[in-house]
mmCIF file of all heavy atoms in Angstrom:
data_model
loop_
_atom_site.group_PDB
_atom_site.id
_atom_site.type_symbol
_atom_site.label_atom_id
_atom_site.label_comp_id
_atom_site.label_asym_id
_atom_site.label_seq_id
_atom_site.Cartn_x
_atom_site.Cartn_y
_atom_site.Cartn_z
ATOM 1 N N MET P 1 95.784 91.305 116.919
ATOM 2 C CA MET P 1 95.343 92.290 117.897
ATOM 3 C C MET P 1 96.436 93.327 118.168
ATOM 4 O O MET P 1 96.168 94.530 118.203
ATOM 5 C CB MET P 1 94.952 91.589 119.207
ATOM 6 C CG MET P 1 94.300 92.518 120.203
ATOM 7 S SD MET P 1 93.922 91.743 121.796
ATOM 8 C CE MET P 1 93.129 90.246 121.347
ATOM 9 N N LEU P 2 97.665 92.869 118.342
ATOM 10 C CA LEU P 2 98.782 93.789 118.567
ATOM 11 C C LEU P 2 99.002 94.699 117.363
ATOM 12 O O LEU P 2 99.214 95.909 117.511
ATOM 13 C CB LEU P 2 100.061 93.015 118.838
ATOM 14 C CG LEU P 2 100.314 92.538 120.249
ATOM 15 C CD1 LEU P 2 101.586 91.712 120.293
ATOM 16 C CD2 LEU P 2 100.396 93.687 121.207
ATOM 17 N N THR P 3 98.962 94.127 116.177
ATOM 18 C CA THR P 3 99.217 94.902 114.968
ATOM 19 C C THR P 3 98.141 95.957 114.741
ATOM 20 O O THR P 3 98.457 97.116 114.447
ATOM 21 C CB THR P 3 99.306 93.960 113.757
ATOM 22 O OG1 THR P 3 100.316 92.977 114.012
ATOM 23 C CG2 THR P 3 99.659 94.707 112.492
ATOM 24 N N LEU P 4 96.889 95.583 114.883
ATOM 25 C CA LEU P 4 95.809 96.538 114.648
ATOM 26 C C LEU P 4 95.783 97.656 115.684
ATOM 27 O O LEU P 4 95.583 98.823 115.342
ATOM 28 C CB LEU P 4 94.466 95.816 114.607
ATOM 29 C CG LEU P 4 94.232 94.917 113.406
ATOM 30 C CD1 LEU P 4 92.892 94.207 113.516
ATOM 31 C CD2 LEU P 4 94.311 95.702 112.121
ATOM 32 N N ALA P 5 95.994 97.313 116.948
ATOM 33 C CA ALA P 5 96.018 98.352 117.983
ATOM 34 C C ALA P 5 97.198 99.293 117.783
ATOM 35 O O ALA P 5 97.062 100.511 117.935
ATOM 36 C CB ALA P 5 96.077 97.712 119.366
ATOM 37 N N SER P 6 98.333 98.745 117.430
ATOM 38 C CA SER P 6 99.506 99.586 117.195
ATOM 39 C C SER P 6 99.310 100.472 115.977
ATOM 40 O O SER P 6 99.703 101.640 115.981
ATOM 41 C CB SER P 6 100.749 98.721 117.006
ATOM 42 O OG SER P 6 100.997 97.989 118.173
ATOM 43 N N PHE P 7 98.694 99.939 114.942
ATOM 44 C CA PHE P 7 98.424 100.736 113.758
ATOM 45 C C PHE P 7 97.466 101.887 114.075
ATOM 46 O O PHE P 7 97.642 103.008 113.602
ATOM 47 C CB PHE P 7 97.846 99.864 112.641
ATOM 48 C CG PHE P 7 97.542 100.620 111.384
ATOM 49 C CD1 PHE P 7 98.560 101.061 110.571
ATOM 50 C CD2 PHE P 7 96.240 100.918 111.035
ATOM 51 C CE1 PHE P 7 98.288 101.770 109.409
ATOM 52 C CE2 PHE P 7 95.952 101.628 109.891
ATOM 53 C CZ PHE P 7 96.982 102.062 109.072
ATOM 54 N N TYR P 8 96.466 101.613 114.905
ATOM 55 C CA TYR P 8 95.524 102.653 115.317
ATOM 56 C C TYR P 8 96.252 103.784 116.048
ATOM 57 O O TYR P 8 96.001 104.966 115.793
ATOM 58 C CB TYR P 8 94.450 102.026 116.210
ATOM 59 C CG TYR P 8 93.531 103.018 116.874
ATOM 60 C CD1 TYR P 8 92.564 103.685 116.147
ATOM 61 C CD2 TYR P 8 93.616 103.277 118.236
ATOM 62 C CE1 TYR P 8 91.708 104.589 116.745
ATOM 63 C CE2 TYR P 8 92.779 104.179 118.844
ATOM 64 C CZ TYR P 8 91.819 104.826 118.094
ATOM 65 O OH TYR P 8 90.990 105.735 118.699
ATOM 66 N N VAL P 9 97.164 103.424 116.933
ATOM 67 C CA VAL P 9 97.916 104.440 117.684
ATOM 68 C C VAL P 9 98.873 105.190 116.767
ATOM 69 O O VAL P 9 98.979 106.419 116.839
ATOM 70 C CB VAL P 9 98.659 103.799 118.874
ATOM 71 C CG1 VAL P 9 99.537 104.816 119.569
ATOM 72 C CG2 VAL P 9 97.672 103.196 119.852
ATOM 73 N N VAL P 10 99.575 104.480 115.900
ATOM 74 C CA VAL P 10 100.513 105.135 114.977
ATOM 75 C C VAL P 10 99.772 106.116 114.080
ATOM 76 O O VAL P 10 100.205 107.262 113.903
ATOM 77 C CB VAL P 10 101.279 104.089 114.131
ATOM 78 C CG1 VAL P 10 102.000 104.743 112.976
ATOM 79 C CG2 VAL P 10 102.248 103.318 114.995
ATOM 80 N N ARG P 11 98.661 105.694 113.522
ATOM 81 C CA ARG P 11 97.887 106.562 112.639
ATOM 82 C C ARG P 11 97.378 107.800 113.377
ATOM 83 O O ARG P 11 97.459 108.923 112.874
ATOM 84 C CB ARG P 11 96.711 105.792 112.057
ATOM 85 C CG ARG P 11 96.013 106.531 110.933
ATOM 86 C CD ARG P 11 94.789 105.818 110.513
ATOM 87 N NE ARG P 11 93.893 105.816 111.677
ATOM 88 C CZ ARG P 11 92.708 105.269 111.682
ATOM 89 N NH1 ARG P 11 92.272 104.629 110.644
ATOM 90 N NH2 ARG P 11 91.951 105.323 112.758
ATOM 91 N N GLY P 12 96.894 107.609 114.598
ATOM 92 C CA GLY P 12 96.378 108.737 115.369
ATOM 93 C C GLY P 12 97.469 109.695 115.805
ATOM 94 O O GLY P 12 97.301 110.918 115.742
ATOM 95 N N GLU P 13 98.611 109.175 116.260
ATOM 96 C CA GLU P 13 99.697 110.037 116.720
ATOM 97 C C GLU P 13 100.392 110.723 115.553
ATOM 98 O O GLU P 13 100.921 111.810 115.698
ATOM 99 C CB GLU P 13 100.711 109.242 117.537
ATOM 100 C CG GLU P 13 100.263 108.930 118.938
ATOM 101 C CD GLU P 13 100.027 110.167 119.776
ATOM 102 O OE1 GLU P 13 100.857 111.090 119.748
ATOM 103 O OE2 GLU P 13 98.994 110.205 120.464
ATOM 104 N N TRP P 14 100.416 110.088 114.403
ATOM 105 C CA TRP P 14 101.064 110.686 113.236
ATOM 106 C C TRP P 14 100.313 111.931 112.765
ATOM 107 O O TRP P 14 100.901 112.861 112.237
ATOM 108 C CB TRP P 14 101.153 109.663 112.107
ATOM 109 C CG TRP P 14 102.077 110.091 111.020
ATOM 110 C CD1 TRP P 14 101.731 110.689 109.844
ATOM 111 C CD2 TRP P 14 103.493 109.987 111.002
ATOM 112 N NE1 TRP P 14 102.846 110.942 109.105
ATOM 113 C CE2 TRP P 14 103.948 110.516 109.796
ATOM 114 C CE3 TRP P 14 104.424 109.476 111.900
ATOM 115 C CZ2 TRP P 14 105.283 110.562 109.458
ATOM 116 C CZ3 TRP P 14 105.755 109.515 111.559
ATOM 117 C CH2 TRP P 14 106.175 110.051 110.355
ATOM 118 N N ARG P 15 98.995 111.931 112.956
ATOM 119 C CA ARG P 15 98.171 113.065 112.525
ATOM 120 C C ARG P 15 98.340 114.290 113.418
ATOM 121 O O ARG P 15 98.021 115.395 113.008
ATOM 122 C CB ARG P 15 96.706 112.676 112.496
ATOM 123 C CG ARG P 15 96.395 111.711 111.390
ATOM 124 C CD ARG P 15 94.938 111.360 111.389
ATOM 125 N NE ARG P 15 94.658 110.406 110.324
ATOM 126 C CZ ARG P 15 93.518 109.770 110.202
ATOM 127 N NH1 ARG P 15 92.563 109.971 111.075
ATOM 128 N NH2 ARG P 15 93.338 108.925 109.219
ATOM 129 N N VAL P 16 98.804 114.093 114.649
ATOM 130 C CA VAL P 16 98.991 115.215 115.568
ATOM 131 C C VAL P 16 100.215 116.001 115.115
ATOM 132 O O VAL P 16 101.302 115.444 114.965
ATOM 133 C CB VAL P 16 99.179 114.711 117.022
ATOM 134 C CG1 VAL P 16 99.462 115.867 117.956
ATOM 135 C CG2 VAL P 16 97.962 113.929 117.472
ATOM 136 N N LYS P 17 100.039 117.274 114.878
ATOM 137 C CA LYS P 17 101.142 118.097 114.343
ATOM 138 C C LYS P 17 102.200 118.390 115.410
ATOM 139 O O LYS P 17 103.366 118.137 115.203
ATOM 140 C CB LYS P 17 100.591 119.411 113.778
ATOM 141 C CG LYS P 17 99.651 119.206 112.614
ATOM 142 C CD LYS P 17 100.375 118.583 111.454
ATOM 143 C CE LYS P 17 99.411 118.365 110.302
ATOM 144 N NZ LYS P 17 99.839 117.396 109.372
ATOM 145 N N ALA P 18 101.790 118.944 116.525
ATOM 146 C CA ALA P 18 102.747 119.292 117.588
ATOM 147 C C ALA P 18 102.673 118.224 118.675
ATOM 148 O O ALA P 18 101.756 118.209 119.493
ATOM 149 C CB ALA P 18 102.415 120.658 118.167
ATOM 150 N N ARG P 19 103.627 117.290 118.654
ATOM 151 C CA ARG P 19 103.644 116.200 119.622
ATOM 152 C C ARG P 19 104.600 116.541 120.758
ATOM 153 O O ARG P 19 105.777 116.829 120.515
ATOM 154 C CB ARG P 19 104.112 114.902 118.980
ATOM 155 C CG ARG P 19 103.060 114.148 118.246
ATOM 156 C CD ARG P 19 103.576 112.793 117.794
ATOM 157 N NE ARG P 19 104.697 112.900 116.873
ATOM 158 C CZ ARG P 19 104.581 113.098 115.576
ATOM 159 N NH1 ARG P 19 103.398 113.243 115.041
ATOM 160 N NH2 ARG P 19 105.646 113.176 114.819
ATOM 161 N N PRO P 20 104.144 116.452 122.003
ATOM 162 C CA PRO P 20 105.087 116.594 123.109
ATOM 163 C C PRO P 20 105.929 115.317 123.222
ATOM 164 O O PRO P 20 105.745 114.360 122.457
ATOM 165 C CB PRO P 20 104.183 116.784 124.325
ATOM 166 C CG PRO P 20 102.902 116.140 123.955
ATOM 167 C CD PRO P 20 102.767 116.322 122.462
ATOM 168 N N LEU P 21 106.822 115.295 124.166
ATOM 169 C CA LEU P 21 107.713 114.141 124.343
ATOM 170 C C LEU P 21 106.927 112.857 124.600
ATOM 171 O O LEU P 21 107.283 111.796 124.088
ATOM 172 C CB LEU P 21 108.690 114.411 125.491
ATOM 173 C CG LEU P 21 109.745 113.350 125.737
ATOM 174 C CD1 LEU P 21 110.605 113.160 124.495
ATOM 175 C CD2 LEU P 21 110.602 113.727 126.925
ATOM 176 N N VAL P 22 105.843 112.963 125.346
ATOM 177 C CA VAL P 22 105.016 111.785 125.619
ATOM 178 C C VAL P 22 104.440 111.235 124.315
ATOM 179 O O VAL P 22 104.407 110.020 124.098
ATOM 180 C CB VAL P 22 103.882 112.152 126.609
ATOM 181 C CG1 VAL P 22 102.916 111.010 126.765
ATOM 182 C CG2 VAL P 22 104.454 112.546 127.947
ATOM 183 N N GLY P 23 103.995 112.110 123.428
ATOM 184 C CA GLY P 23 103.462 111.671 122.143
ATOM 185 C C GLY P 23 104.516 111.026 121.274
ATOM 186 O O GLY P 23 104.247 110.052 120.572
ATOM 187 N N GLN P 24 105.731 111.552 121.315
ATOM 188 C CA GLN P 24 106.824 110.951 120.534
ATOM 189 C C GLN P 24 107.173 109.568 121.066
ATOM 190 O O GLN P 24 107.429 108.642 120.292
ATOM 191 C CB GLN P 24 108.040 111.862 120.551
ATOM 192 C CG GLN P 24 107.841 113.123 119.762
ATOM 193 C CD GLN P 24 109.037 114.056 119.844
ATOM 194 O OE1 GLN P 24 109.999 113.798 120.557
ATOM 195 N NE2 GLN P 24 108.977 115.151 119.105
ATOM 196 N N LYS P 25 107.170 109.419 122.388
ATOM 197 C CA LYS P 25 107.458 108.106 122.974
ATOM 198 C C LYS P 25 106.347 107.110 122.660
ATOM 199 O O LYS P 25 106.613 105.939 122.373
ATOM 200 C CB LYS P 25 107.632 108.239 124.486
ATOM 201 C CG LYS P 25 108.909 108.912 124.887
ATOM 202 C CD LYS P 25 109.031 108.984 126.388
ATOM 203 C CE LYS P 25 110.334 109.647 126.788
ATOM 204 N NZ LYS P 25 110.479 109.683 128.250
ATOM 205 N N LEU P 26 105.108 107.570 122.706
ATOM 206 C CA LEU P 26 103.978 106.707 122.358
ATOM 207 C C LEU P 26 104.053 106.285 120.900
ATOM 208 O O LEU P 26 103.829 105.117 120.563
ATOM 209 C CB LEU P 26 102.662 107.430 122.645
ATOM 210 C CG LEU P 26 101.378 106.682 122.331
ATOM 211 C CD1 LEU P 26 101.286 105.408 123.151
ATOM 212 C CD2 LEU P 26 100.179 107.577 122.592
ATOM 213 N N LEU P 27 104.405 107.211 120.032
ATOM 214 C CA LEU P 27 104.554 106.900 118.609
ATOM 215 C C LEU P 27 105.675 105.892 118.386
ATOM 216 O O LEU P 27 105.505 104.908 117.662
ATOM 217 C CB LEU P 27 104.810 108.181 117.811
ATOM 218 C CG LEU P 27 104.969 108.038 116.306
ATOM 219 C CD1 LEU P 27 103.705 107.468 115.682
ATOM 220 C CD2 LEU P 27 105.310 109.378 115.686
ATOM 221 N N ALA P 28 106.813 106.100 119.031
ATOM 222 C CA ALA P 28 107.943 105.173 118.875
ATOM 223 C C ALA P 28 107.603 103.780 119.404
ATOM 224 O O ALA P 28 107.889 102.767 118.750
ATOM 225 C CB ALA P 28 109.168 105.730 119.590
ATOM 226 N N ALA P 29 106.977 103.709 120.568
ATOM 227 C CA ALA P 29 106.619 102.411 121.140
ATOM 228 C C ALA P 29 105.599 101.681 120.274
ATOM 229 O O ALA P 29 105.699 100.457 120.078
ATOM 230 C CB ALA P 29 106.072 102.602 122.553
ATOM 231 N N SER P 30 104.640 102.414 119.733
ATOM 232 C CA SER P 30 103.623 101.759 118.911
ATOM 233 C C SER P 30 104.178 101.312 117.557
ATOM 234 O O SER P 30 103.760 100.285 117.028
ATOM 235 C CB SER P 30 102.410 102.663 118.728
ATOM 236 O OG SER P 30 102.781 103.887 118.171
ATOM 237 N N VAL P 31 105.158 102.035 117.011
ATOM 238 C CA VAL P 31 105.806 101.592 115.767
ATOM 239 C C VAL P 31 106.579 100.297 116.018
ATOM 240 O O VAL P 31 106.528 99.354 115.217
ATOM 241 C CB VAL P 31 106.719 102.693 115.196
ATOM 242 C CG1 VAL P 31 107.638 102.147 114.130
ATOM 243 C CG2 VAL P 31 105.896 103.826 114.649
ATOM 244 N N ILE P 32 107.289 100.232 117.144
ATOM 245 C CA ILE P 32 108.031 99.012 117.491
ATOM 246 C C ILE P 32 107.072 97.846 117.697
ATOM 247 O O ILE P 32 107.301 96.729 117.214
ATOM 248 C CB ILE P 32 108.892 99.260 118.738
ATOM 249 C CG1 ILE P 32 110.026 100.233 118.411
ATOM 250 C CG2 ILE P 32 109.450 97.952 119.296
ATOM 251 C CD1 ILE P 32 110.754 100.765 119.618
ATOM 252 N N THR P 33 105.962 98.081 118.394
ATOM 253 C CA THR P 33 104.982 97.021 118.628
ATOM 254 C C THR P 33 104.298 96.600 117.330
ATOM 255 O O THR P 33 103.970 95.428 117.156
ATOM 256 C CB THR P 33 103.938 97.486 119.656
ATOM 257 O OG1 THR P 33 104.610 98.000 120.801
ATOM 258 C CG2 THR P 33 103.050 96.354 120.092
ATOM 259 N N PHE P 34 104.090 97.533 116.423
ATOM 260 C CA PHE P 34 103.522 97.204 115.116
ATOM 261 C C PHE P 34 104.444 96.236 114.372
ATOM 262 O O PHE P 34 103.991 95.224 113.839
ATOM 263 C CB PHE P 34 103.301 98.487 114.306
ATOM 264 C CG PHE P 34 102.723 98.261 112.946
ATOM 265 C CD1 PHE P 34 101.391 97.924 112.797
ATOM 266 C CD2 PHE P 34 103.504 98.392 111.813
ATOM 267 C CE1 PHE P 34 100.849 97.709 111.549
ATOM 268 C CE2 PHE P 34 102.970 98.187 110.555
ATOM 269 C CZ PHE P 34 101.630 97.844 110.425
ATOM 270 N N GLY P 35 105.730 96.535 114.356
ATOM 271 C CA GLY P 35 106.695 95.631 113.722
ATOM 272 C C GLY P 35 106.753 94.276 114.398
ATOM 273 O O GLY P 35 106.854 93.239 113.740
ATOM 274 N N PHE P 36 106.678 94.278 115.723
ATOM 275 C CA PHE P 36 106.690 93.023 116.474
ATOM 276 C C PHE P 36 105.449 92.187 116.160
ATOM 277 O O PHE P 36 105.536 90.970 115.977
ATOM 278 C CB PHE P 36 106.774 93.325 117.975
ATOM 279 C CG PHE P 36 106.793 92.120 118.842
ATOM 280 C CD1 PHE P 36 107.881 91.260 118.851
ATOM 281 C CD2 PHE P 36 105.718 91.838 119.667
ATOM 282 C CE1 PHE P 36 107.894 90.134 119.658
ATOM 283 C CE2 PHE P 36 105.726 90.726 120.477
ATOM 284 C CZ PHE P 36 106.811 89.877 120.473
ATOM 285 N N GLY P 37 104.293 92.841 116.079
ATOM 286 C CA GLY P 37 103.064 92.116 115.747
ATOM 287 C C GLY P 37 103.106 91.517 114.352
ATOM 288 O O GLY P 37 102.677 90.383 114.136
ATOM 289 N N LEU P 38 103.651 92.278 113.398
ATOM 290 C CA LEU P 38 103.790 91.748 112.040
ATOM 291 C C LEU P 38 104.748 90.559 112.002
ATOM 292 O O LEU P 38 104.502 89.584 111.287
ATOM 293 C CB LEU P 38 104.268 92.842 111.092
ATOM 294 C CG LEU P 38 103.239 93.895 110.700
ATOM 295 C CD1 LEU P 38 103.887 94.934 109.797
ATOM 296 C CD2 LEU P 38 102.053 93.259 110.015
ATOM 297 N N SER P 39 105.830 90.636 112.756
ATOM 298 C CA SER P 39 106.781 89.515 112.766
ATOM 299 C C SER P 39 106.184 88.287 113.451
ATOM 300 O O SER P 39 106.446 87.158 113.031
ATOM 301 C CB SER P 39 108.092 89.929 113.425
ATOM 302 O OG SER P 39 107.898 90.217 114.791
ATOM 303 N N LEU P 40 105.384 88.488 114.491
ATOM 304 C CA LEU P 40 104.694 87.352 115.115
ATOM 305 C C LEU P 40 103.728 86.693 114.133
ATOM 306 O O LEU P 40 103.653 85.465 114.053
ATOM 307 C CB LEU P 40 103.908 87.814 116.342
ATOM 308 C CG LEU P 40 104.650 88.008 117.641
ATOM 309 C CD1 LEU P 40 103.696 88.551 118.699
ATOM 310 C CD2 LEU P 40 105.276 86.730 118.114
ATOM 311 N N LEU P 41 103.011 87.513 113.410
ATOM 312 C CA LEU P 41 102.066 86.993 112.422
ATOM 313 C C LEU P 41 102.788 86.214 111.323
ATOM 314 O O LEU P 41 102.387 85.103 110.961
ATOM 315 C CB LEU P 41 101.254 88.141 111.829
ATOM 316 C CG LEU P 41 100.135 87.792 110.881
ATOM 317 C CD1 LEU P 41 99.088 86.941 111.587
ATOM 318 C CD2 LEU P 41 99.490 89.054 110.349
ATOM 319 N N ALA P 42 103.866 86.780 110.817
ATOM 320 C CA ALA P 42 104.637 86.092 109.767
ATOM 321 C C ALA P 42 105.242 84.795 110.292
ATOM 322 O O ALA P 42 105.244 83.770 109.593
ATOM 323 C CB ALA P 42 105.731 87.014 109.247
ATOM 324 N N GLY P 43 105.740 84.816 111.514
ATOM 325 C CA GLY P 43 106.317 83.604 112.100
ATOM 326 C C GLY P 43 105.293 82.512 112.304
ATOM 327 O O GLY P 43 105.565 81.317 112.058
ATOM 328 N N ALA P 44 104.098 82.878 112.762
ATOM 329 C CA ALA P 44 103.053 81.880 112.969
ATOM 330 C C ALA P 44 102.608 81.277 111.642
ATOM 331 O O ALA P 44 102.414 80.056 111.534
ATOM 332 C CB ALA P 44 101.877 82.512 113.685
#
């Protein structure tokens, strides 16, 4: 669930050409959460 939701946000924010600071922070947080979700999955 974490990985898929984060991937959805990363994909959507990456497509936006002009990102304000809020968009950059959302993109950074979702990339970190995507990595965390993948590591949880691999660990389990």
Side-chain angles (χ1 to χ4, degrees):
M1 188 184 312
L2 276 176
T3 304
L4 291 177
S6 298
F7 180 73
Y8 171 73
V9 175
V10 167
R11 191 187 63 180
E13 283 298 315
W14 194 262
R15 290 180 181 170
V16 176
K17 297 296 179 201
R19 277 187 298 277
L21 184 59
V22 173
Q24 290 177 356
K25 288 181 179 182
L26 179 61
L27 181 61
S30 57
V31 166
I32 291 168
T33 309
F34 180 74
F36 180 68
L38 286 178
S39 65
L40 279 176
L41 186 61

